[in-house]
Amino acid sequence: PGTVDGLLAMAGGKTVDRLSETLRDGAVLAYANGVQPVPNERPGMTVQAYDGQTGPEQLQRLNQLIEAGPFQVHVAEKFPLGRAAEAHRRLQTSYPGKLLLTVS
């Protein structure tokens, strides 16, 4: 606790609030506009919303970073497309990594 300089939240809720306890005084918790619920602010930290930028330049830069490697995405769980509703419910819980829908 109190040792992390910043946190980029791509989802809101209890997990983000718990992770924010690791932020040092003066740290920033940034989250994309549209994240619900909005992360809670506490004394000593700043909560900042942002809008992402998209376009050919951003995608080219992302591809360069991926190609430079090493790049690995941790998949927490796989769901067949027929279980998409279950995967969506799983989004409401905490899990380490990404959820993957498979089409076969």
Side-chain angles (χ1 to χ4, degrees):
T3 59
V4 176
D5 295 327
L7 178 63
L8 176 60
M10 302 306 287
K14 293 178 185 177
T15 301
V16 170
D17 290 338
R18 194 170 68 241
L19 288 171
S20 73
E21 295 172 6
T22 66
L23 295 172
R24 66 168 177 74
D25 284 346
V28 176
L29 187 160
Y31 69 96
N33 277 312
V35 164
Q36 293 294 324
V38 171
N40 291 316
E41 192 163 343
R42 66 165 174 75
M45 73 176 214
T46 301
V47 174
Q48 176 75 43
Y50 69 91
D51 287 318
Q53 296 179 358
T54 61
E57 297 85 14
Q58 288 80 12
L59 289 175
Q60 182 179 12
R61 177 67 179 135
L62 178 60
N63 284 333
Q64 289 171 344
L65 291 169
I66 291 169
E67 290 169 1
F71 187 85
Q72 181 179 5
V73 176
H74 176 74
V75 176
E77 284 185 64
K78 295 179 184 179
F79 295 87
L81 189 56
R83 293 177 43 209
E86 182 182 342
H88 193 265
R89 284 189 294 276
R90 182 74 166 101
L91 290 171
Q92 304 305 313
T93 66
S94 67
Y95 49 88
K98 301 293 183 186
L99 300 182
L100 177 66
L101 286 178
T102 59
V103 180
S104 38

